[in-house]
Amino acid sequence: MEKEFIFPDLGEGITEGELIKWLVSTGDYVNEDQEIAEIETDKALVSIPSAFSGKIKKLCYEENQTVKVGTALLIYETDETSQTEDTKSDSLKETENTQSNREKDPIINKKKPQTEQSIQNTTHLLPLATPATRKLARELGVDLHSIKGSGKDGRIIDDDIQKAANKTEISSEELTEGLGSKTKPSPSEKASPYEAIPLKGIRRKIAESMQASHQEMVMVTHMDEARVDKLLEIRKEKAELAKSRGIKLTLLPFILKACSIALQDHPYLNASLQEESIFLKKYYHFGFAVDTDAGLMVPVIRDVNKKSIFKLAKELTELSARARERKIDLEELQNHTFSITNIGSLGGIFFTPIIHHPDSAILGIGRTQQKPIVDQNKKIVPAYMLPLALTFDHRIADGATAARFVNQVISYLEDPDLLLLEEGEN
Amino acid sequence: MVVGDLSESTEVAILGGGPGGFVAAIRLAQLGKDVTVISKDPLPGGTCLQRGCIPSKALIEAAKHFASIPQLSEMGIHTKELKIDFSETQKWKEKKVKQLSEGILQLFKQYKINFIHAEGKFLSTKEIEIHSTQGLSKLNFEHAVIATGSQAKELPSFPFDKKKILSSREILSIEKIPQSLTIIGGGYIGLEIAGVFGHLGTEVHIIEVLPDILPSLDKELRQIFLRQLKKQNISLQVSCKPLSYQMKQEKILLRLQLNDQSEQDLESELLLVAVGRTPVTQGLGLENIALKTDARGFLKINPHCQTEKKNIYAIGDVAGGMMLAHKAFAEAKIAAAHICGQAAAWDQQVPAVIFTDPEIAYVGLSETEAKAKGFEVITGMFPFAALGRAQTMDKTEGVIKSIAEKNTQRILGIQMIGPQVSDLISEATLAIEMGARLEDLELTIHPHPTLSEAVGESIESALGIPIHRYQRKKTSLTS
């Protein structure tokens, strides 16, 4: 008689998974709870235990195929039919096992239940290695099934284990974050549950820059909100005018402008620390973060303090378009003094941006949302609030500096007329 | 420490003082841990030593000697009166058991292992409640090992009354040799006890529900065993279902259903129910540590013998698998090493040994199992009758069969039936653990004249070149 093993519902709304590896093969006798396959779902790599015992007649999927919940994963030949001498004896064992004579379990197959990934492939023989060598493998974390021994018929000797252990150490360094050496895919595995992407190009640049900032700087993030009802009104009023000039007006140019003015009063946030000196910069070149297919790019707008809101808006649009098309020049990415990163279009409120090396501060902008606030008349009113998160380098500036700077930026954003009044100072 | 003396906390608490518990305790102590063993029995040793392997082996040995005496006449040894005082046999057996238990207790003292005669119950994953004759107390632990073993399985229709319906525990202590004995269950416990009383002159009947016994043995060996049973006046009824019983004077009358559905009565003085063993987990407070057992009551463990609670280990019968003391020994050592941070994990072969007459032992795969797994095999077989040592011992029944993978000649399994094969199996186990090829054993010198030569000869037989047996070229005995 045949019996299907249905790929079970693993919960958490998972409907399918990729069959990474069969742990058994056709003709194997499988015990209840013995692990039969490794399947990777959206959530995790899981080992599927058999629901019952029997001899495997057919595997319904091949490795790397997608398995749907509720479909047959494999087909067993159950005990009732076993006519041949061989299977008959198997069936006897199983019946005995469940009934009375557990003592007489055969040796290799009838293992104790194993909840973790078994070090022994229970359906085949032990790897060809002596007990002492197998112990060495355990100690060095080498999976005997993943290496081919150098001896006759693949016998694994101590040297093979040592070599495999050394290899694991080297290649784990090359791996990207998150893949530990233990779960590292070995080259001999047919279907690896991971894909190794070489770190190169923009990704490498991002990694280096982030690493430099993270290692060198002492970063603190200061957070506050600006009420931007007025600013939104102005933007609405001037949207038509902007459009007539081919400009898409967002809040970002206003924020750039506000920062460029406030930075003039807080030069330590428009600075860099190099070779034991703090360089206060008298020019205001802002990097702004653009999400491209290749990863994060930070084109730079020069002399923000000297440009009008419309001009800034236009440059923002042009530079980000060229960044996305990868048509930007290297110079256009260099020589920044301060940066702005705007995650608001995607959502999110406060976050902790990493400073664009070697600047001393970066302003992170979250999504503007309507919120209930208490106004001067102690009334709860709806207001559009813009979240601001300023990360600064505490080696160069202090918390008070950051707070004062952000307060000033907020004052401009809440009362955009001030922008007009203050702009002429430079 | 003195028995009963209680420390409030211990590094490792072990529930059970049997083969799992006492071995884990000693190994942990060797590795520098402070260990407390909580045992329901007043002495360590567990089922194996108190009422299982050891007492049964003592009785088996006595019975074997008794039965061999008449056969000695061929050697010119004649006795006038053959007599056995079974109560004396029992006293001798008890003395041996006591000696061994006290030996373990002595080791505990030397290793400074705290031994408590009490029942232990988990309160949490850090604390055990100890219930002894001195009252209740609590013990904190860092790690715990559950080694509470198993007990004889009871059949609902044949409940143990400890007078006429016995488990293996009671039958090993009876004072009088019964005239007749019926055994339900043809597993190794049933077969070993059948052997004891068969030798002592009891009329023995074995009732087995399944159509065959010893399924892990290849059929050539099984047939040899079945022939021997007949010679020892032990009847074996397979595919036979015990239905009910009634007491008839001092006898027990068993109603049986045979394979053809016909029914039959069987009368005997005693009934032994030996249909397997169930794990002991009741009263351990598993609910307090959220540990569940599987459908059959066993605790689930990983290759390090850890349960789902990482600081709690389970070993031996309570963890399922082969319910053999040496499996518990091996798990105890793994658990102890793993608790001490060593890279220990289960990856071994468990040899099986059955102390019937002749003895049976096997390790690795049978030919049937190997073929079922898709191996192309070569086999070799050698009979003890062709061996000088076996002839001089007058123990010529039995064979050794070797099974190897054809291409690589790697030894897959060795099966034995014959004199003292319980001692011969270790060479086979070592061969499999070492991944030995046939030639490795063939080129190992086996001393002459010994029974171990049969191992070497069976290997040579697989290679087609046994010395003490004519074998035609290129024929495998079993093809």
Side-chain angles (χ1 to χ4, degrees), chain B residues 195-225:
Chain B
V196 170
F197 291 98
H199 280 328
L200 295 176
T202 304
E203 175 194 327
V204 182
H205 303 277
I206 303 172
I207 307 297
E208 173 58 53
V209 175
L210 294 165
D212 219 337
I213 59 166
L214 300 169
S216 298
L217 273 192
D218 277 332
K219 64 173 183 286
E220 308 95 319
L221 287 90
R222 196 183 312 133
Q223 278 162 2
I224 292 171
F225 181 71

Side-chain angles (χ1 to χ4, degrees), chain A residues 99-100 103 111 113 134 155, chain B residues 153 188 275 301 346 433 435:
Chain A
Q99 280 196 350
S100 56
E103 302 92 336
K111 281 265 145 194
R134 300 194 314 253
R155 177 179 287 274
Chain B
K153 187 190 255 176
Y188 81 80
V275 292
I301 53 170
W346 180 272
E433 289 291 352

Side-chain angles (χ1 to χ4, degrees), chain B residues 163-216:
Chain B
K163 288 191 185 94
K164 289 286 165 192
I165 305 178
L166 311 179
S167 73
S168 58
R169 178 180 187 154
E170 289 94 37
I171 200 148
L172 291 173
S173 300
I174 55 172
E175 290 287 319
K176 198 177 136 276
I177 300 166
Q179 291 215 311
S180 53
L181 167 69
T182 300
I183 299 172
I184 301 178
Y188 81 80
I189 294 175
L191 294 175
E192 286 186 2
I193 289 172
V196 170
F197 291 98
H199 280 328
L200 295 176
T202 304
E203 175 194 327
V204 182
H205 303 277
I206 303 172
I207 307 297
E208 173 58 53
V209 175
L210 294 165
D212 219 337
I213 59 166
L214 300 169
S216 298

Side-chain angles (χ1 to χ4, degrees), chain B residues 361-421:
Chain B
Y362 52 86
V363 65
L365 300 173
S366 68
E367 183 184 357
T368 308
E369 287 165 347
K371 282 180 173 168
K373 285 175 177 295
F375 287 108
E376 204 181 331
V377 298
I378 49 171
T379 64
M381 194 141 64
F382 190 81
F384 280 101
L387 206 64
R389 182 67 185 128
Q391 286 292 349
T392 60
M393 290 169 74
D394 215 4
K395 303 272 185 199
T396 52
E397 297 298 336
V399 296
I400 293 183
K401 178 175 177 178
S402 297
I403 299 113
E405 191 183 8
K406 193 178 178 190
N407 288 336
T408 62
Q409 307 230 322
R410 183 179 176 182
I411 296 167
L412 298 174
I414 298 187
Q415 303 214 320
M416 308 177 172
I417 178 167
Q420 291 169 30
V421 294

Side-chain angles (χ1 to χ4, degrees), chain A residues 32-46:
Chain A
E32 187 183 332
D33 289 337
Q34 184 180 328
E35 285 166 4
I36 50 177
E38 284 180 357
I39 291 186
E40 189 164 38
T41 67
D42 295 346
K43 313 261 171 178
L45 183 67
V46 289

Side-chain angles (χ1 to χ4, degrees), chain B residues 139-373:
Chain B
L139 178 68
N140 289 308
F141 62 87
E142 289 167 23
H143 291 91
V145 180
I146 304 174
T148 46
S150 63
Q151 60 194 15
K153 187 190 255 176
E154 193 166 35
L155 287 177
S157 334
F158 302 90
F160 297 126
D161 67 0
K162 298 185 182 178
K163 288 191 185 94
K164 289 286 165 192
I165 305 178
L166 311 179
S167 73
S168 58
R169 178 180 187 154
E170 289 94 37
I171 200 148
L172 291 173
S173 300
I174 55 172
E175 290 287 319
K176 198 177 136 276
I177 300 166
Q179 291 215 311
S180 53
L181 167 69
T182 300
I183 299 172
I184 301 178
Y188 81 80
I189 294 175
L191 294 175
E192 286 186 2
I193 289 172
V196 170
F197 291 98
H199 280 328
L200 295 176
T202 304
E203 175 194 327
V204 182
H205 303 277
I206 303 172
I207 307 297
E208 173 58 53
V209 175
L210 294 165
D212 219 337
I213 59 166
L214 300 169
S216 298
L217 273 192
D218 277 332
K219 64 173 183 286
E220 308 95 319
L221 287 90
R222 196 183 312 133
Q223 278 162 2
I224 292 171
F225 181 71
L226 293 177
R227 274 206 307 274
Q228 288 302 309
L229 274 187
K230 262 185 202 153
K231 279 191 192 170
Q232 290 165 23
N233 283 320
I234 298 169
S235 85
L236 169 69
Q237 191 74 259
V238 293
S239 300
C240 176
K241 201 173 156 192
L243 297 173
S244 60
Y245 74 95
Q246 64 183 86
M247 300 308 297
K248 194 181 157 195
Q249 283 135 15
E250 284 301 291
K251 297 275 176 78
I252 181 163
L253 191 66
L254 213 58
R255 188 93 184 142
L256 305 172
Q257 188 183 59
L258 306 184
N259 203 20
D260 59 7
Q261 302 298 309
S262 70
E263 293 185 6
Q264 187 183 303
D265 286 338
L266 179 62
E267 193 183 74
S268 58
E269 196 180 322
L270 288 179
L271 177 66
L272 169 71
V273 179
V275 292
R277 300 181 63 83
T278 51
V280 176
T281 54
Q282 283 281 320
L284 291 180
L286 296 184
E287 65 283 358
N288 297 335
I289 51 172
L291 259 193
K292 285 199 183 113
T293 56
D294 69 12
R296 286 177 279 169
F298 295 103
L299 284 167
K300 274 194 136 192
I301 53 170
N302 67 15
H304 313 298
C305 300
Q306 280 171 303
T307 65
E308 282 156 14
K309 301 284 169 250
K310 293 296 169 212
N311 69 326
I312 298 177
Y313 293 67
I315 56 175
D317 289 0
V318 79
M322 293 173 83
M323 295 167 97
L324 296 169
H326 48 271
K327 189 217 77 165
F329 290 171
E331 287 180 338
K333 291 170 191 170
I334 289 166
H338 198 256
I339 285 170
C340 298
Q342 295 179 11
W346 180 272
D347 71 346
Q348 292 133 296
Q349 300 293 312
V350 184
V353 183
I354 309 172
F355 289 85
T356 43
D357 188 11
E359 294 178 348
I360 296 166
Y362 52 86
V363 65
L365 300 173
S366 68
E367 183 184 357
T368 308
E369 287 165 347
K371 282 180 173 168
K373 285 175 177 295

